[in-house]
Amino acid sequence: MVEIPTRICLVRHGETEWNAARRIQGQIDIGLNAAGQAQARAAGRCLRTAGITALYSSDLQRAWATAQAIGAALGLVPQSSPALRERCYGVFEGLTYDEAKQRHPAGYAAFEGRNADYDFENGESLRALFARVAGKLAEIAAAHPGSNVVVVVHGGVLDIVNRFVRGNPLEMPRDFLIPNAGINWISTVNGRWTVETWGETAHLADAALDELPS
């Protein structure tokens, strides 16, 4: 008997003014800008024929507004989950990357070097983020066997998802893009995960910003 895969479409939230300014948002609750709202609607249009049966989202407003736009296109009501929130960047939150590097040089070096245990002075380490995200992803997959599901999340979360699915170390430099409103399909069968497509942006009118740093 052939197993039907559970397919999860992960969508990064649309652009915010802080994305455009290269400012670290983390769990600060920033809304979409006009470009981000248009990107969210475009993602919804793109997914209309994808056979989606359920829609989940981070409860932070930039993701939630993106999910609402997608839900309006698909006729689905999003389910919110704090477990899908962006990484907590602690003392870095609200700073630009340049400001973080200047004010916290040792911490920034640990961040840039992908130290899996560095937590931004009571923020969240990569190791803790991995446990949170991988656990929620497995929970969603188990709840929708053989179905297609959309999950709206953040750049840091997508960084973890890609590594989880591909089995790559947290410390490895990123070798993939994470554009605003990018569409990323993964699937699972019998506990085996696969990346189907990643970082799709053909549905967007203009180029999308990548998650920084790379």
Side-chain angles (χ1 to χ4, degrees), residues 15 22 35-36 39 177 179-182 201-210:
E15 183 182 304
R22 300 310 201 226
Q39 289 171 338
L177 297 176
N180 281 118
T201 56
H203 58 290
L204 302 176
D206 300 304
L209 297 175
D210 182 35

Side-chain angles (χ1 to χ4, degrees), residues 13 22 29 51 55 67 78 84 86 98-99 126 132 135 143 160-161 164 170 190-191 195 204:
H13 63 78
R22 300 310 201 226
D29 207 5
L55 172 60
L84 297 170
E86 179 60 286
D98 286 342
E99 289 168 346
L126 281 173
R132 168 163 70 86
I160 292 295
V161 169
F164 168 70
L170 294 173
N190 294 327
V195 173
L204 302 176

Side-chain angles (χ1 to χ4, degrees), residues 57-76:
S57 176
S58 159
D59 61 347
L60 295 177
Q61 62 175 311
R62 57 193 185 272
W64 187 246
T66 302
Q68 286 182 311
I70 293 171
L74 303 183
L76 294 172

